[in-house]
Amino acid sequence: MTQQGTGAVEQPSHNPAVELENLSFSYRPNEPVLAIQQWQVAAGETVFLKGPSGSGKSTLLGLIGGILAPDSGHVRVLGQELGAMGRGARDRFRAQHLGFIFQMFNLLPYLSLLENITLPCRFSKLRAGRAGDQGPEARALTLLKQLGLDPAIAARPVTELSVGQQQRVAAARALIGEPELLVADEPTSALDADSRTQFVELLLAQSKAAGSAVLFVSHDASLAPLFDRSATLTELNTVGAPS
Amino acid sequence: MSAPGLAAALALKSLGNRRGTALLTLLSITISVALLIGVNQVRREARSSFTNTLSGADLIVGARSGSINLLLYSIFRIGNPTGAVSWDSYQKISSRSDVAWTFPISLGDSHRGYRVLGTDENYFTFYRYGGGRGLELADGALFADDGDAVIGAEVAAKLGYEVGTPIVVSHGIGAGSFAEHDDNPFRVAGILERTGTPVDQTVHVTLAGIEIMHGADVADADHEHDDEGGEGHAEATIEPEIITAFVVGMKSRAALFGLQRIINDYRREPLSAIIPGVALTELWGLVSTAETALLVVSGFVVVAGLLGLLTTLLTSMNERRREMAVLRSVGAGPGMIFALLICEAAFLALLAALAGVALVHLGLLLSREVVLETFGIALSPGLPGMFDLLVVSGVTLAAMLIALVPAWRGYRNSLADGLTVRI
Ligand SMILES: Nc1ncnc2c1ncn2[C@@H]1O[C@H](COP(=O)(O)OP(=O)(O)OP(=O)(O)O)[C@@H](O)[C@H]1O
Ligand SMILES: [Mg+2]
């Protein structure tokens, strides 16, 4: 792992990837969604997080991504207290250290496939630097190959890709520049069972190679054995799922 | 890449992806801007065309009337004369020592819709237009006798006349109106170079020619000849009793206002002397209300175009929530989302406004010939000016201001949505 120190934030590789403490969050006053006493994802650890619909999984990812702010308590990512950062600093932090994959529609239709993958490198010099000496584009093509895609599809408009192909491209984007934490919010729910397993295996292989911790949210418990550890949000969350 | 640069680059690509609606919005702004620029341009051209029609003349004298009226009928051949000036007064004033030159203007007849103007050689010597250019003959010669006509370039071109063509003049104005004086046809003696002024649409004949046509007899020529003025004119054969107006050039402009006052207070008949520039200014004062109204209306059309832009941007906001969420996930702040939308509006408006300006100037360039021939207005192939710059920057700025609404909405959405996008 190349460690080019262009970012203002020092490399906190020994710190836990995620650390929650006395966290509480609500969208509307008096309607708490999340309350978590203590929870951690270690550096480089891959965690499978499940929970029923509406239990607050996406909300938790928003908090970890620094897009939502907790009502009280601490969210530390890579040892950094998100609440102590300004909003701009949180955006920069996200660009530098986090990779996201969503359920679907991950790609910007007006960018080419390679532009989509290298997008994080345009927001973060650190990740552009980590993408290797040949530059982000070359790295993107390598990632495509490693994720089981023919690099020739790079010439195609992203709107012509199948859902499975789109998700692999999204995975390549999340992985480029080796972010310390990869957050995936049900990225496999639109895939069939076989491609699901294959997708997760490829994703985990690449994140292991990059040394990234993975927080993977899914309904599909059959994927759980592929991860270092699995957790259930309803067990962590003392608010409990709203009816 | 810098954040604003990145926002601009993404905005362009995003716009390109929605080029269908973007193009329609662009078109509506382009048309509205073209209308505004066009109205202003035509207004300016009309003004400069009017201003260019007569230069170097110090006074125009006619029967007592409003100065705009006198200016319009004597020089621009618009409207009808309200009265006449006696030949006697003309002689008296033109022989004054502070007067350098004069030429008479006698209107009232027409030839196939073109005005017939009775005058003398001085007209061709002293008439100046376009800031000092004089009249030139394209073909033929000036008056040799009273049956000669010197026609403007437009008359020659439209009617296909050449030197030697006989022409018949009818009394009154308008194509083939009233009685035709066909027993005394004129003959085209000369054709003038094109000037881009009403001269091009005029048939010039001698004052005596008009008299003969109206039935004057060479015999009763010297009736009422006054010995006080015009005595040196040995060639005077037939003299009119009245003319419509005359134009005066002074030896020194210092005496201009003095003479104007003298003429306005003239004892023998009620006369008006006007300074062309002053009368033109008065005319602009009069038409400026209409011009302003036109400009305001075109301004509102631009506003409508910009509101169309707002509609397009707002409608696109919902389908673009996912785009915003993806951008946020890779590190775009809400400020970036904001900048993205402002950039998009600014770019669209700038492009549309520039297209509008180009459209007008190209259009004017291409329609020069037609406008000159139909309206006698010489469009100068002017480059885009201050007004155009103002409109382009104004429209772009207004678009950016308008885009604050969707930008603010995008900003709020991107805060509220977080990474989960609901559509
Ligand atoms: N922007 C929002 N404003 C208000 N309430 C919200 C918002 N987003 C989510 N919620 C509520 O918060 C709770 C948790 O939602 P969340 O999206 O985190 O669930 P989830 O576990 O991701 O569900 P799913 O598995 O269906 O994606 C739900 O009750 C939801 O209605
Ligand atoms: Mg969810």
Side-chain angles (χ1 to χ4, degrees):
Chain A
M1 180 153 118
T2 51
Q3 298 223 345
Q4 272 160 289
T6 19
V9 186
E10 144 208 0
Q11 291 306 142
S13 53
H14 53 282
N15 285 314
V18 179
E19 228 182 329
L20 308 177
E21 217 181 300
N22 297 325
L23 173 79
S24 75
F25 176 85
S26 57
Y27 285 102
R28 275 178 233 99
N30 304 322
E31 287 178 41
V33 177
L34 283 177
I36 298 175
Q37 300 304 312
Q38 184 77 41
W39 195 61
Q40 279 201 357
V41 176
E45 187 184 23
T46 61
V47 175
F48 181 84
L49 181 66
K50 58 178 185 290
S53 186
S55 59
K57 303 182 295 295
S58 298
T59 305
L60 180 61
L61 298 188
L63 285 160
I64 292 169
I67 283 166
L68 302 173
D71 299 340
S72 63
H74 303 278
V75 179
R76 277 188 287 273
V77 178
L78 313 172
Q80 305 273 314
E81 179 74 50
L82 293 187
M85 296 181 197
R87 198 185 267 159
R90 277 204 298 270
D91 292 328
R92 277 192 297 282
F93 184 82
R94 182 168 65 251
Q96 307 227 321
H97 304 291
L98 266 61
F100 281 91
I101 312 172
F102 302 116
Q103 187 170 6
M104 47 170 43
F105 305 120
N106 277 286
L107 307 180
L108 297 181
Y110 51 85
L111 294 183
S112 75
L113 191 145
L114 286 184
E115 283 171 330
N116 261 290
I117 298 179
T118 56
L119 196 56
C121 300
R122 298 179 72 177
F123 281 88
S124 160
K125 285 208 181 80
L126 178 72
R127 284 178 73 175
R130 282 188 197 156
D133 299 334
Q134 260 101 63
E137 303 243 320
R139 181 79 192 117
L141 286 170
T142 315
L143 275 169
L144 277 182
K145 218 178 305 168
Q146 288 165 339
L147 288 166
L149 283 177
D150 181 356
I153 68 159
R156 304 246 300 269
V158 293
T159 44
E160 286 178 12
L161 300 180
S162 75
V163 176
Q165 286 168 331
Q166 284 182 37
Q167 291 306 78
R168 290 181 202 208
V169 172
R173 181 176 68 208
L175 284 162
I176 200 164
E178 301 171 350
E180 287 85 347
L181 176 61
L182 205 142
V183 175
D185 194 354
E186 309 189 41
T188 54
S189 60
L191 306 181
D192 61 69
D194 288 344
S195 18
R196 248 177 241 184
T197 315
Q198 195 201 15
F199 175 84
V200 174
E201 278 169 348
L202 286 167
L203 180 71
L204 289 178
Q206 288 312 308
S207 60
K208 277 275 187 261
S212 310
V214 175
L215 180 53
F216 189 103
V217 164
S218 177
H219 294 289
D220 184 1
S222 69
L223 296 170
L226 300 168
F227 292 80
D228 295 345
R229 182 160 71 88
S230 102
T232 308
L233 187 56
T234 37
E235 288 167 12
L236 303 171
N237 190 0
T238 52
V239 169
S243 51
Chain B
M1 192 183 271
S2 65
L6 185 53
L10 289 173
L12 282 189
K13 293 207 165 167
S14 177
L15 253 184
N17 189 49
R18 285 171 286 120
R19 62 182 92 75
T21 37
L23 223 73
L24 281 178
T25 315
L26 190 119
L27 202 69
S28 76
I29 299 178
T30 300
I31 289 173
S32 70
V33 167
L35 183 66
L36 180 61
I37 300 268
V39 164
N40 182 63
Q41 196 69 17
V42 166
R43 178 185 77 114
R44 249 185 38 198
E45 295 290 346
R47 280 192 177 203
S48 77
S49 175
F50 264 66
T51 311
N52 279 337
T53 293
L54 182 67
S55 61
D58 292 313
L59 287 175
I60 300 167
V61 182
R64 174 140 318 150
S65 70
S67 52
I68 294 174
N69 193 27
L70 175 53
L71 178 77
L72 288 180
Y73 71 67
S74 64
I75 303 302
F76 299 104
R77 329 266 194 266
I78 296 171
N80 288 315
T82 47
V85 179
S86 73
W87 180 250
D88 184 39
S89 301
Y90 172 58
Q91 291 293 313
K92 283 224 170 62
I93 292 164
S94 67
S95 60
R96 285 176 58 97
S97 61
D98 50 0
V99 169
W101 52 263
T102 58
F103 60 76
I105 292 171
S106 185
L107 297 163
D109 296 298
S110 67
H111 171 70
R112 298 179 66 180
Y114 293 101
R115 299 282 177 115
V116 172
L117 184 149
T119 187
D120 60 21
E121 284 79 6
N122 272 2
Y123 180 93
F124 302 102
T125 316
F126 294 111
Y127 187 95
R128 290 285 178 279
Y129 70 97
R133 273 180 289 169
L135 299 177
E136 303 275 355
L137 274 172
D139 198 6
L142 296 179
F143 307 139
D145 64 55
D146 293 335
D148 284 348
V150 175
I151 60 176
E154 174 76 24
V155 181
K158 269 285 159 64
L159 301 180
Y161 288 175
E162 291 167 1
V163 171
T165 309
I167 59 179
V168 171
V169 169
S170 50
H171 192 64
I173 309 146
S177 57
F178 314 127
E180 298 220 326
H181 309 286
D182 42 358
D183 35 341
N184 296 91
F186 289 90
R187 185 191 69 93
V188 175
I191 298 170
L192 294 170
E193 292 277 11
R194 192 172 279 282
T195 62
T197 73
V199 170
D200 296 349
Q201 284 117 303
T202 304
V203 175
H204 306 86
V205 298
T206 65
L207 291 173
I210 288 187
E211 292 305 307
I212 294 169
M213 172 180 77
H214 287 162
D217 208 323
V218 186
D220 62 52
D222 273 74
H223 66 118
E224 220 189 293
H225 193 275
D226 204 310
D227 279 358
E228 279 169 80
E231 190 51 10
H233 299 266
E235 84 282 4
T237 47
I238 303 172
E239 284 178 347
E241 273 173 58
I242 51 164
I243 56 175
T244 307
F246 60 96
V247 176
V248 178
M250 305 287 295
K251 281 186 181 141
S252 145
R253 301 207 98 193
L256 181 58
F257 294 104
L259 181 59
Q260 187 186 22
R261 203 169 322 112
I262 289 170
I263 296 173
N264 283 335
D265 297 341
Y266 206 62
R267 285 166 286 107
R268 302 208 188 171
E269 60 179 315
L271 296 179
S272 286
I274 59 161
I275 299 168
V278 175
L280 265 182
T281 310
E282 255 178 68
L283 178 62
W284 300 149
L286 197 69
V287 297
S288 72
T289 319
E291 286 177 351
T292 311
L294 260 180
L295 278 178
V296 167
V297 169
S298 333
F300 275 116
V301 176
V302 173
V303 170
L306 287 171
L307 285 179
L309 172 71
L310 178 62
T311 315
T312 318
L313 285 177
L314 279 178
T315 351
S316 76
M317 283 315 294
N318 264 339
E319 52 197 75
R320 293 177 69 191
R321 281 176 105 139
R322 196 172 296 278
E323 173 188 339
M324 306 294 167
V326 169
L327 284 172
R328 290 221 69 196
S329 78
V330 294
M336 171 97 163
I337 305 295
F338 195 84
L340 201 68
L341 285 155
I342 301 279
C343 272
E344 179 175 322
F347 177 76
L348 210 60
L350 182 68
L351 205 69
L354 287 178
V357 170
L359 199 70
V360 168
H361 287 276
L362 222 71
L364 287 182
L365 207 67
L366 294 179
S367 62
R368 255 171 80 75
E369 204 80 334
V370 184
V371 170
L372 186 65
E373 280 177 16
T374 0
F375 304 108
I377 292 177
L379 302 172
S380 49
L383 290 168
M386 200 58 206
F387 183 82
D388 309 40
L389 194 73
L390 268 174
V391 169
V392 170
S393 47
V395 164
T396 310
L397 267 177
M400 288 169 86
L401 273 181
I402 275 180
L404 287 177
V405 180
W408 175 246
R409 198 190 255 196
Y411 177 90
R412 280 230 326 265
N413 280 350
S414 69
L415 283 181
D417 287 358
L419 298 172
T420 29
V421 182
R422 280 154 283 261
I423 289 189

